[in-house]
Amino acid sequence: MPPPALLFLPGLLCDAEVWAAQTAAGPHAHLVVEYGLSDDLDAMATLALQQADAAGLGPLAVVGHSMGGRVAMQLWRQAPQRVRGLALMDTAWHPLPTGEAGAAERAGRLRLLEIARSQGMTAMARDWVQGMVHPDRLGTPLAEAVVAMLARRTPAHQAAQIQALLNRPDASATLRSVTVPTLLLTGEQDGWSPPARHDEMATMVAGPVTRIDVPHCGHMAPMEAPETVNAALADWLARL
Protein backbone atom coordinates (compact mmCIF):
# COMPACT_ATOMS: atom_id res chain seq x y z
CA MET A 1 0.00 0.00 0.00
CA PRO A 2 1.48 3.40 -0.96
CA PRO A 3 2.25 5.90 1.80
CA PRO A 4 -0.40 8.56 2.26
CA ALA A 5 0.07 12.05 0.89
CA LEU A 6 -0.26 14.96 3.29
CA LEU A 7 -3.30 17.12 2.59
CA PHE A 8 -2.97 20.42 4.44
CA LEU A 9 -6.13 22.41 5.19
CA PRO A 10 -5.50 26.04 6.26
CA GLY A 11 -7.57 27.98 8.73
CA LEU A 12 -9.55 31.18 8.30
CA LEU A 13 -7.83 33.52 5.80
CA CYS A 14 -4.62 31.50 5.92
CA ASP A 15 -2.69 30.29 2.88
CA ALA A 16 0.24 27.95 2.27
CA GLU A 17 2.44 30.13 4.52
CA VAL A 18 0.78 28.67 7.61
CA TRP A 19 2.15 25.23 6.60
CA ALA A 20 5.52 26.40 5.22
CA ALA A 21 7.57 24.73 7.94
CA GLN A 22 5.61 21.50 7.59
CA THR A 23 5.70 21.24 3.79
CA ALA A 24 9.46 21.81 3.88
CA ALA A 25 10.07 19.19 6.54
CA GLY A 26 9.66 15.80 4.96
CA PRO A 27 9.72 13.57 1.89
CA HIS A 28 5.97 12.92 1.74
CA ALA A 29 3.94 14.13 -1.22
CA HIS A 30 1.79 17.02 -0.09
CA LEU A 31 -0.80 19.55 -1.18
CA VAL A 32 -2.06 22.73 0.50
CA VAL A 33 -5.73 23.26 -0.30
CA GLU A 34 -7.21 26.56 -1.51
CA TYR A 35 -10.89 27.22 -0.77
CA GLY A 36 -11.44 30.13 -3.16
CA LEU A 37 -14.62 31.99 -2.24
CA SER A 38 -16.41 28.92 -0.88
CA ASP A 39 -18.73 29.81 2.01
CA ASP A 40 -19.57 26.30 3.26
CA LEU A 41 -17.38 23.85 5.17
CA ASP A 42 -18.81 20.82 3.40
CA ALA A 43 -18.15 22.44 0.02
CA MET A 44 -14.59 23.22 1.14
CA ALA A 45 -14.10 19.51 1.91
CA THR A 46 -15.39 18.64 -1.56
CA LEU A 47 -12.93 21.15 -3.05
CA ALA A 48 -10.12 19.56 -1.06
CA LEU A 49 -10.94 16.12 -2.43
CA GLN A 50 -11.19 17.49 -5.97
CA GLN A 51 -7.80 19.17 -5.64
CA ALA A 52 -6.29 15.96 -4.26
CA ASP A 53 -7.70 14.04 -7.22
CA ALA A 54 -6.41 16.64 -9.68
CA ALA A 55 -2.95 16.28 -8.14
CA GLY A 56 -3.10 12.50 -8.50
CA LEU A 57 -3.04 11.83 -4.78
CA GLY A 58 -4.35 8.53 -3.44
CA PRO A 59 -4.65 7.77 0.28
CA LEU A 60 -4.50 10.89 2.42
CA ALA A 61 -3.09 11.97 5.76
CA VAL A 62 -5.31 14.98 6.42
CA VAL A 63 -3.95 17.88 8.49
CA GLY A 64 -6.28 20.73 9.41
CA HIS A 65 -5.63 23.89 11.42
CA SER A 66 -8.43 25.93 13.02
CA MET A 67 -11.19 26.20 10.39
CA GLY A 68 -9.18 23.65 8.42
CA GLY A 69 -9.72 21.16 11.23
CA ARG A 70 -13.45 21.55 10.74
CA VAL A 71 -13.00 21.03 7.00
CA ALA A 72 -10.97 17.90 7.78
CA MET A 73 -13.87 16.49 9.79
CA GLN A 74 -16.23 17.14 6.89
CA LEU A 75 -13.78 15.46 4.53
CA TRP A 76 -13.74 12.39 6.77
CA ARG A 77 -17.52 12.35 6.75
CA GLN A 78 -17.57 12.52 2.96
CA ALA A 79 -14.79 10.08 2.09
CA PRO A 80 -13.47 8.06 5.04
CA GLN A 81 -12.07 5.47 2.64
CA ARG A 82 -9.53 8.06 1.41
CA VAL A 83 -8.24 8.97 4.86
CA ARG A 84 -5.45 7.09 6.66
CA GLY A 85 -5.16 9.58 9.50
CA LEU A 86 -6.42 12.92 10.82
CA ALA A 87 -4.35 15.64 12.48
CA LEU A 88 -6.59 18.35 13.97
CA MET A 89 -4.88 21.43 15.37
CA ASP A 90 -6.24 24.42 17.30
CA THR A 91 -9.81 23.56 16.31
CA ALA A 92 -13.19 22.46 17.63
CA TRP A 93 -16.34 20.55 16.71
CA HIS A 94 -19.26 22.53 18.16
CA PRO A 95 -21.77 24.60 16.16
CA LEU A 96 -22.40 28.29 16.75
CA PRO A 97 -23.70 28.59 20.31
CA THR A 98 -27.23 29.73 20.90
CA GLY A 99 -28.14 32.89 22.80
CA GLU A 100 -25.69 35.53 23.92
CA ALA A 101 -22.56 33.48 23.23
CA GLY A 102 -23.49 32.95 19.59
CA ALA A 103 -24.50 36.58 19.17
CA ALA A 104 -21.19 37.70 20.64
CA GLU A 105 -19.20 35.48 18.29
CA ARG A 106 -21.16 36.71 15.28
CA ALA A 107 -20.66 40.34 16.33
CA GLY A 108 -16.93 39.84 16.84
CA ARG A 109 -16.45 38.26 13.44
CA LEU A 110 -18.52 40.94 11.71
CA ARG A 111 -16.60 43.69 13.52
CA LEU A 112 -13.37 42.42 11.98
CA LEU A 113 -15.02 42.17 8.57
CA GLU A 114 -16.12 45.79 8.83
CA ILE A 115 -12.55 46.83 9.64
CA ALA A 116 -11.36 44.91 6.56
CA ARG A 117 -13.92 46.66 4.36
CA SER A 118 -13.41 50.14 5.75
CA GLN A 119 -9.69 50.20 6.63
CA GLY A 120 -8.18 47.33 4.66
CA MET A 121 -7.01 43.80 5.36
CA THR A 122 -3.77 44.84 7.03
CA ALA A 123 -5.61 46.91 9.63
CA MET A 124 -7.98 44.02 10.25
CA ALA A 125 -5.08 41.57 10.58
CA ARG A 126 -3.24 43.78 13.08
CA ASP A 127 -6.37 43.85 15.23
CA TRP A 128 -7.03 40.14 14.93
CA VAL A 129 -3.46 38.97 15.55
CA GLN A 130 -3.64 40.30 19.11
CA GLY A 131 -5.54 37.18 20.15
CA MET A 132 -4.03 34.72 17.69
CA VAL A 133 -0.45 34.30 18.87
CA HIS A 134 1.14 34.00 22.29
CA PRO A 135 1.39 37.49 23.82
CA ASP A 136 5.18 37.26 23.89
CA ARG A 137 5.19 36.99 20.08
CA LEU A 138 3.27 40.20 19.42
CA GLY A 139 5.48 42.67 17.58
CA THR A 140 7.87 39.94 16.43
CA PRO A 141 8.64 38.84 12.86
CA LEU A 142 6.38 35.83 13.46
CA ALA A 143 3.39 38.05 14.23
CA GLU A 144 4.21 40.22 11.22
CA ALA A 145 4.27 37.10 9.03
CA VAL A 146 0.76 36.23 10.27
CA VAL A 147 -0.42 39.78 9.50
CA ALA A 148 1.10 39.65 6.01
CA MET A 149 -0.52 36.28 5.33
CA LEU A 150 -3.99 37.47 6.33
CA ALA A 151 -3.52 40.69 4.37
CA ARG A 152 -3.04 38.69 1.16
CA ARG A 153 -6.74 37.79 1.30
CA THR A 154 -9.66 40.08 0.51
CA PRO A 155 -12.82 41.08 2.37
CA ALA A 156 -14.69 38.76 -0.02
CA HIS A 157 -12.63 35.80 1.22
CA GLN A 158 -13.24 36.87 4.80
CA ALA A 159 -17.00 37.25 4.31
CA ALA A 160 -17.28 33.83 2.66
CA GLN A 161 -15.28 32.04 5.36
CA ILE A 162 -17.12 33.83 8.18
CA GLN A 163 -20.36 32.60 6.61
CA ALA A 164 -18.96 29.06 6.60
CA LEU A 165 -18.00 29.27 10.26
CA LEU A 166 -21.22 30.86 11.46
CA ASN A 167 -23.13 28.04 9.74
CA ARG A 168 -20.77 25.30 10.90
CA PRO A 169 -22.32 21.95 11.75
CA ASP A 170 -22.08 20.05 15.00
CA ALA A 171 -19.30 17.60 14.16
CA SER A 172 -19.56 15.47 17.30
CA ALA A 173 -21.15 12.53 15.47
CA THR A 174 -18.44 12.75 12.82
CA LEU A 175 -15.71 12.68 15.45
CA ARG A 176 -17.28 9.61 17.04
CA SER A 177 -17.05 7.84 13.69
CA VAL A 178 -13.30 8.45 13.28
CA THR A 179 -11.40 5.17 13.47
CA VAL A 180 -8.01 6.18 12.02
CA PRO A 181 -5.04 7.41 14.09
CA THR A 182 -5.80 10.98 15.14
CA LEU A 183 -3.48 13.71 16.40
CA LEU A 184 -5.12 16.44 18.48
CA LEU A 185 -2.74 19.34 19.08
CA THR A 186 -3.17 22.88 20.36
CA GLY A 187 -1.23 25.68 21.99
CA GLU A 188 -1.36 25.82 25.77
CA GLN A 189 -2.30 29.51 25.50
CA ASP A 190 -4.74 29.14 22.60
CA GLY A 191 -7.70 31.24 23.69
CA TRP A 192 -9.73 30.36 20.58
CA SER A 193 -9.40 26.57 20.82
CA PRO A 194 -8.03 25.79 24.29
CA PRO A 195 -6.61 22.48 25.50
CA ALA A 196 -9.78 21.56 27.40
CA ARG A 197 -11.71 21.54 24.13
CA HIS A 198 -9.20 19.15 22.60
CA ASP A 199 -9.45 16.94 25.68
CA GLU A 200 -13.18 16.68 25.00
CA MET A 201 -12.53 15.84 21.36
CA ALA A 202 -10.12 13.09 22.41
CA THR A 203 -12.92 11.38 24.35
CA MET A 204 -15.11 11.34 21.22
CA VAL A 205 -12.75 9.81 18.66
CA ALA A 206 -13.22 6.07 18.27
CA GLY A 207 -9.71 5.35 16.99
CA PRO A 208 -6.29 5.82 18.60
CA VAL A 209 -5.62 9.40 19.71
CA THR A 210 -2.46 11.33 20.49
CA ARG A 211 -2.98 14.55 22.51
CA ILE A 212 -0.33 17.26 22.56
CA ASP A 213 -0.44 20.69 24.17
CA VAL A 214 2.35 22.93 22.92
CA PRO A 215 3.86 25.10 25.67
CA HIS A 216 4.25 28.86 25.21
CA CYS A 217 2.03 28.78 22.13
CA GLY A 218 -1.18 30.48 21.03
CA HIS A 219 -3.59 29.67 18.20
CA MET A 220 -1.06 29.57 15.36
CA ALA A 221 0.81 26.43 16.41
CA PRO A 222 2.12 25.44 12.95
CA MET A 223 3.89 28.81 12.69
CA GLU A 224 4.61 29.48 16.36
CA ALA A 225 6.08 26.08 17.20
CA PRO A 226 7.12 24.45 13.91
CA GLU A 227 9.66 22.05 15.39
CA THR A 228 7.14 20.67 17.91
CA VAL A 229 4.43 20.40 15.27
CA ASN A 230 6.79 18.72 12.80
CA ALA A 231 7.89 16.17 15.38
CA ALA A 232 4.28 15.42 16.29
CA LEU A 233 3.36 14.96 12.63
CA ALA A 234 6.36 12.69 12.04
CA ASP A 235 5.33 10.44 14.95
CA TRP A 236 1.71 10.41 13.72
CA LEU A 237 2.73 9.58 10.15
CA ALA A 238 4.84 6.68 11.37
CA ARG A 239 1.66 5.08 12.76
CA LEU A 240 -0.35 5.33 9.53
Side-chain angles (χ1 to χ4, degrees), residues 72-166:
M73 289 179 247
Q74 294 303 104
L75 191 153
W76 167 264
R77 187 187 62 77
Q78 289 186 23
Q81 73 281 1
R82 293 288 299 278
V83 180
R84 293 265 201 91
L86 285 174
L88 308 175
M89 302 184 186
D90 303 278
T91 193
W93 78 95
H94 55 77
L96 185 72
T98 59
E100 291 184 6
E105 179 182 332
R106 183 184 299 273
R109 293 188 184 281
L110 294 179
R111 182 188 71 83
L112 288 168
L113 179 58
E114 177 54 31
I115 293 173
R117 287 171 168 165
S118 63
Q119 301 176 42
M121 293 298 290
T122 298
M124 183 282 299
R126 291 199 184 285
D127 185 307
W128 194 14
V129 78
Q130 301 301 311
M132 291 181 73
V133 300
H134 190 284
D136 290 349
R137 293 192 173 93
L138 293 172
T140 68
L142 181 281
E144 289 304 302
V146 174
V147 168
M149 176 176 63
L150 301 181
R152 287 193 287 271
R153 299 303 193 187
T154 68
H157 289 104
Q158 189 173 0
Q161 293 182 15
I162 285 174
Q163 177 78 0
L165 286 169
L166 292 178

Side-chain angles (χ1 to χ4, degrees), residues 4-30:
L6 283 158
L7 189 70
F8 290 103
L9 301 169
L12 179 63
L13 296 179
C14 295
D15 60 22
E17 179 69 20
V18 75
W19 298 117
Q22 288 70 52
T23 55
H28 288 260
H30 67 265

Side-chain angles (χ1 to χ4, degrees), residues 200-225:
E200 291 180 71
M201 294 168 68
T203 69
M204 298 180 189
V205 176
V209 175
T210 301
R211 269 286 291 116
I212 296 176
D213 294 332
V214 183
H216 201 256
C217 183
H219 186 66
M220 302 299 292
M223 295 177 73
E224 291 187 68

Side-chain angles (χ1 to χ4, degrees), residues 145-203:
V146 174
V147 168
M149 176 176 63
L150 301 181
R152 287 193 287 271
R153 299 303 193 187
T154 68
H157 289 104
Q158 189 173 0
Q161 293 182 15
I162 285 174
Q163 177 78 0
L165 286 169
L166 292 178
N167 292 326
R168 63 189 183 260
D170 182 342
S172 56
T174 300
L175 275 176
R176 292 188 179 98
S177 74
V178 173
T179 54
V180 294
T182 300
L183 169 65
L184 295 171
L185 178 150
T186 193
E188 284 187 354
Q189 288 76 39
D190 185 344
W192 290 74
S193 303
R197 189 168 294 163
H198 291 72
D199 290 339
E200 291 180 71
M201 294 168 68
T203 69

Side-chain angles (χ1 to χ4, degrees), residues 58-75:
L60 301 171
V62 180
V63 187
H65 173 252
S66 192
M67 182 185 76
R70 293 181 179 276
V71 177
M73 289 179 247
Q74 294 303 104
L75 191 153

